[in-house]
Amino acid sequence: MSTAKKVYKRVTTKSLVEMKRNNRKIAMLTAYDYTMAKIIDNAGIDVILVGDSASNVMAGHETTLPITLDQMIYHASSVIRAVERCLVVVDLPFGSYQGNSRNALESAIRIMKESGAHSIKIEGGKEISESITRILSAGIPVMGHLGLTPQSIYKFGTYSVRAKEDEEAEKLKEDAKLLEELGCFALVLEKVPAKLAKEVAESISIPVIGIGAGGGVDGQVLVTHDMLGMNHEFSPRFLRRYLDLYSEMDGALKNYINDVKSGDFPNDEEQY
Ligand code: KIV
């Protein structure tokens, strides 16, 4: 039996830009732990996002605001230990970059140094351009995030579709151009009208990865726990469920409980 390890061609920030140029769509999913990241990487995903959605999905918070930089580094390290092929992007959490570019650089450096991640993602446009420039100047690849930016939920007041009005749509287009000019390697567009997202994707050379932004962009991202159907409560229009894992798990767990209580588990073969 061969002990040789499979050799993969790694996905890089450059290969993502190439994919856009060659009209090949980019598939991105979230992961926050080793086991899930291993399954996702093995399936052939292009990008894993260690999203600050870990605050909701892993810790049960109502928003993404409470998660800390140390917690993001813990999740990112677990993911990095699992992946062999895909690019790993890690969210800078709320409070680790806003208003102070030096603080932003320190946070980005901590993520890269302590977790081994390949790049960071940051929410916002013009208002955080100084932070983006400073992080990029340290050689850290940056993915932007515009549209619905969940760290600003208390400013928006709602998770509904953004940039439906002309003024906000214009600002979004300007911000997307700015992020490209600053040197971001890609951009997430969350929950904006499909027509606007397509226009943005066609107007810039870096890949636009959408979530609730229609099919006219260069790639898609979903929260893995949502697309696997691990919860029944969250059902936005943009979400396609590929499994009903909640029901699958519920059935398996109930079978286990019944087997233990009835004495069926363990049987003679399942003991020493
Ligand atoms: O944190 C996250 O999971 C995200 C995606 C929804 C894009 O930012």
Side-chain angles (χ1 to χ4, degrees):
M1 197 180 82
S2 164
T3 54
K5 236 181 147 191
K6 269 196 208 165
V7 181
Y8 298 96
K9 192 166 184 306
R10 291 208 79 119
V11 180
T12 64
T13 55
K14 278 210 163 48
S15 36
L16 297 184
V17 178
E18 276 296 300
M19 285 173 79
K20 171 166 180 142
R21 226 174 269 146
N22 296 326
N23 271 324
R24 282 166 49 218
K25 298 270 188 187
I26 297 163
M28 173 160 130
L29 281 172
T30 57
Y32 321 109
D33 67 270
Y34 176 87
T35 305
M36 187 70 96
K38 203 159 191 63
I39 297 170
I40 295 173
D41 187 46
N42 272 327
I45 203 78
D46 299 308
V47 187
I48 284 183
L49 170 66
V50 184
D52 58 359
S53 50
S55 178
N56 314 100
V57 179
M58 293 282 105
H61 292 297
E62 210 172 295
T63 72
T64 57
L65 275 66
I67 199 159
T68 66
L69 187 57
D70 283 335
Q71 288 164 342
M72 288 304 296
I73 290 169
Y74 167 77
H75 288 298
S77 313
S78 310
V79 167
I80 279 289
R81 281 191 287 274
V83 308
E84 295 185 53
R85 183 185 163 276
C86 70
L87 183 84
V88 177
V89 184
V90 181
D91 264 332
L92 279 190
F94 178 70
S96 72
Y97 63 93
Q98 290 95 339
N100 180 341
S101 65
R102 195 185 167 137
N103 183 221
L105 177 60
E106 279 167 10
S107 303
I109 288 179
R110 279 202 61 204
I111 286 183
M112 302 295 283
K113 220 180 171 69
E114 296 177 37
S115 76
H118 310 137
S119 57
I120 61 102
K121 177 162 84 58
I122 186 164
E123 291 184 8
K126 190 161 179 265
E127 61 286 358
I128 55 152
S129 61
E130 201 183 307
S131 294
I132 293 176
T133 304
R134 205 155 179 171
I135 295 169
L136 285 166
S137 72
I140 300 172
V142 176
M143 178 181 272
H145 185 154
L146 299 173
L148 176 65
T149 46
Q151 291 179 15
S152 305
I153 183 58
Y154 290 115
K155 182 172 116 190
F156 298 147
T158 146
Y159 285 105
S160 58
V161 180
R162 304 301 315 171
K164 287 209 288 202
E165 309 300 329
D166 287 351
E167 198 182 330
E168 198 181 335
E170 275 315 306
K171 169 152 172 31
L172 189 142
K173 285 193 256 184
E174 282 166 22
D175 278 342
K177 220 45 219 127
L178 176 68
L179 294 183
E180 178 194 31
E181 281 162 14
L182 291 176
C184 290
F185 70 91
L187 166 63
V188 164
L189 265 191
E190 180 164 354
K191 243 181 159 181
V192 299
K195 189 163 167 280
L196 172 65
K198 184 169 186 287
E199 200 182 327
V200 171
E202 285 171 356
S203 71
I204 58 178
S205 60
I206 58 172
V208 174
I209 301 177
I211 173 164
V217 291
D218 308 301
Q220 299 294 327
V221 56
L222 285 176
V223 170
T224 300
H225 290 66
D226 296 339
M227 60 82 79
L228 293 179
M230 290 183 84
N231 71 65
H232 283 168
E233 295 98 52
F234 184 62
S235 287
R237 193 207 293 201
F238 68 77
L239 176 63
R240 184 180 294 181
R241 284 208 178 88
Y242 288 82
L243 260 184
D244 183 0
L245 202 49
Y246 185 98
S247 303
E248 296 281 325
M249 287 178 71
D250 187 55
L253 296 168
K254 284 180 174 141
N255 285 343
Y256 168 75
I257 294 165
N258 286 339
D259 288 352
V260 170
K261 295 203 181 282
S262 68
D264 180 75
F265 176 78
N267 63 25
D268 289 349
E269 278 78 50
E270 291 164 331
Q271 54 190 289
Y272 301 99

